[in-house]
Amino acid sequence: MEVLQIVGVGVIGAVIVLILRDLRPEMALAATLVTGGLITLAVVGKLSGVMEVMGNLSERAQLSAGYLSTMIRVIGVAYLAEFGSQICRDAGAGGIAAKVELGGKLIILAMAAPIVASLVDLIVGILR
């Protein structure tokens, strides 16, 4: 029941943050970071199985390894940007959180542009 462990760490971390926010606000941010890090470390091990499944699907669909690599990097950027923006929000910096999200979206757009271009070329080739 790994999900119970993750939820437990999250709830305990949230309670600690609530207590520290009044007593020592600077420590509340540290507790938020530690809690987020622990949860992230708990789920990182699951990525190898996901990578294996995506690799198998890529082979069966005869996709280039570059496409799979780009998709995995896009997913990583999305998760990191979300994690960073949530930490900024927890610290009370909503404006910075929005900029982190915007930066993540622009990076994803730049990374996905070659795939979109290939897709458009494929569609144009089919229509001709």
Side-chain angles (χ1 to χ4, degrees):
M1 287 298 183
E2 293 169 11
V3 70
L4 292 177
Q5 292 172 338
I6 292 169
V7 170
V9 168
V11 169
I12 291 168
V15 169
I16 291 170
V17 167
L18 284 174
I19 292 169
L20 288 175
R21 190 167 284 150
D22 292 334
L23 301 174
R24 306 249 336 249
E26 69 279 359
M27 294 302 292
L29 180 59
T32 299
L33 291 172
V34 168
T35 302
L38 288 173
I39 292 171
T40 301
L41 288 175
V43 297
V44 162
K46 298 295 180 191
L47 289 178
S48 62
V50 172
M51 298 290 289
E52 185 177 326
V53 168
M54 290 188 71
N56 289 339
L57 289 173
S58 174
E59 286 176 17
R60 289 193 336 213
Q62 297 177 346
L63 291 176
S64 167
Y67 293 140
L68 178 63
S69 172
T70 301
M71 285 187 342
I72 291 169
R73 284 187 281 146
V74 163
I75 292 168
V77 167
Y79 280 128
L80 286 173
E82 177 67 21
F83 184 69
S85 72
Q86 289 300 323
I87 289 173
C88 292
R89 276 195 183 78
D90 289 345
I96 295 173
K99 303 312 181 279
V100 170
E101 289 173 353
L102 177 63
K105 290 173 185 176
L106 291 174
I107 290 170
I108 289 170
L109 180 62
M111 292 170 71
I115 294 176
V116 172
S118 294
L119 184 59
V120 168
D121 287 344
L122 177 66
I123 292 171
V124 168
I126 291 172
L127 294 175
R128 287 186 184 171

